[in-house]
Amino acid sequence: MKIVAALACIIIAARVSLLQGVTAGIVLSLLLLPVWIVAMWRMRGGSAIVGLGGLAMISGLVLTDFFAGDHPTSDSMMQQNTFTLLGLLCGIGVVVWARTILGTAPTALWYGFGLSAGVVLHGVDTDNIWKFDLSVPATVVVLALCMLSRKLWLEVLALLLLGVVSALNDSRSAGSMLLVAAALVVWQAVSARLSKSSSTVRTLAVFGFTAVIGYSALQSFILEGWFGRAAAVRSEEQIAQSGSLILGGRPELGASSELIAANPFGLGSGTLANGIDLMIAKTGMARLNYDPNNGYVEKYMFGNGFEVHSMLGDLWIRFGLFGAALLIVLLVVVGLGTARQVAERQASGLTIFLTIQIFWDSLFAPFFSTSIATLILGVALVMVPRPQRSRSSAVDPDFVSFER
């Protein structure tokens, strides 16, 4: 059974495409449905995730039909989007089940191997191999190995080195996340000597404070030219454009906020943008001092549906309120689960990094392979059993207390 669980993690993470939107991971998940659906049902939030996911897929189909009168539609895109969401739900279930068999660190390691295999199978982006291809697989594998070693100094060193490599390769957001994760791992060790535990609310406050300080520190380092003149110049231009490095680098936020305000119930998983949608989106982007009259907006963002470079925006627009609610529930599960582990001084650097990455992706990354992969692993690593059925948790002590 351990071999099956390990192979399942690899196949889910590798995202091998078979047909239009159907992956080998989805096929395997359907075969393993009897075991992982039980595992999910026993987890806090598991039934809500599965239920909202199903409703979101139905909502995407209904909304597409509703808007077919004044919008062009695409059956192939609707199929692609539906199977992508199904892959997320099935992936979380399978990895949660695998964790009950393998334990936390081995599950993360096998999943990391799957991510690495996916890079080999799908090819690499020659413009920036680290940022677009190697960063996430390498981070997962390295930090999973650190979890297995149970050495705090090695985990902190790995986080810092990965952060520097990311910053040097124009992955400023990843560098900030790794820096914050390293700080929180150190904080756990220091605070453990001062007190036994902390409250979840206090831990969330520490998360927020550390994130702000870490991001500000890295931004200062970049503007000072520590990571190259090109990165400094690009950052200065983005700040000058909108007054913020985040808004300057993510003008799609203006498009998503305007589109959601105009269509609060969503548009559908198979609906294509019309001229009015394009005008609304461009208006929102222009308010951030971004010139939207370019090929990027017409071809990438709205050339084949809606891509607003935000998981929340993508899910909301494609699957309506149920899609947005699904992501919010996933964020609550991840946030509270990680905060609990940090409060108990038991969170790994990988768990903390994934949590920060997931919250960042929810606003600033598209709902695609990389963000889905980190979301699956992050949710699966922090889910815990419902308290009334403690018998199942005895199978895997990782669900009760994270093993350092």
Side-chain angles (χ1 to χ4, degrees), residues 182-262:
L184 286 170
V185 170
V186 173
W187 177 82
Q188 282 186 122
V190 173
S191 60
R193 298 178 181 274
L194 303 177
S195 60
K196 289 185 179 180
S197 63
S198 177
S199 69
T200 301
V201 174
R202 186 182 303 171
T203 302
L204 288 172
V206 171
F207 256 113
F209 178 77
T210 308
V212 172
I213 296 299
Y215 187 84
S216 299
L218 188 63
Q219 176 177 303
S220 298
F221 294 153
I222 292 172
L223 294 175
E224 289 293 330
W226 286 33
F227 300 103
R229 184 59 189 162
V233 170
R234 188 160 46 254
S235 297
E236 289 171 356
E237 291 175 348
Q238 290 172 348
I239 292 173
Q241 176 179 300
S242 61
S244 165
L245 185 59
I246 292 178
L247 293 178
R250 294 292 185 274
E252 299 91 348
L253 281 175
S256 59
S257 60
E258 290 293 327
L259 283 169
I260 290 172

Side-chain angles (χ1 to χ4, degrees), residues 26 29-30 36 57 81-91 367:
I26 292 177
S29 300
L30 295 178
W36 70 255
M57 286 185 280
N81 287 331
T82 301
F83 279 122
T84 299
L85 184 56
L86 179 63
L88 167 66
L89 299 174
C90 292
F367 185 66

Side-chain angles (χ1 to χ4, degrees), residues 313-386:
D314 287 346
L315 286 170
W316 197 329
I317 291 171
R318 297 173 192 175
F319 301 101
L321 294 177
F322 289 113
L326 171 63
L327 183 61
I328 290 171
V329 168
L330 292 173
L331 292 175
V332 170
V333 169
V334 171
L336 293 180
T338 305
R340 177 187 59 83
Q341 290 186 5
V342 173
E344 296 172 357
R345 319 295 192 248
Q346 296 171 341
S348 70
L350 177 59
T351 300
I352 295 172
F353 165 73
L354 287 172
T355 298
I356 300 170
Q357 180 76 62
I358 287 168
F359 274 83
W360 174 270
D361 289 347
S362 68
L363 294 177
F364 307 120
F367 185 66
F368 79 133
S369 57
T370 302
S371 58
I372 292 171
T374 53
L375 182 57
I376 289 173
L377 184 60
V379 172
L381 291 188
V382 301
M383 292 192 80
V384 295
R386 294 178 182 176

Side-chain angles (χ1 to χ4, degrees), residues 9 35 56 82-83 101 114 117 121 145 164 184 205 209 221 225 268 295 305 309 339 355:
C9 289
V35 292
T82 301
F83 279 122
I101 305 297
L121 292 172
L145 289 171
V164 170
L184 286 170
F209 178 77
F221 294 153
H309 218 279
T355 298

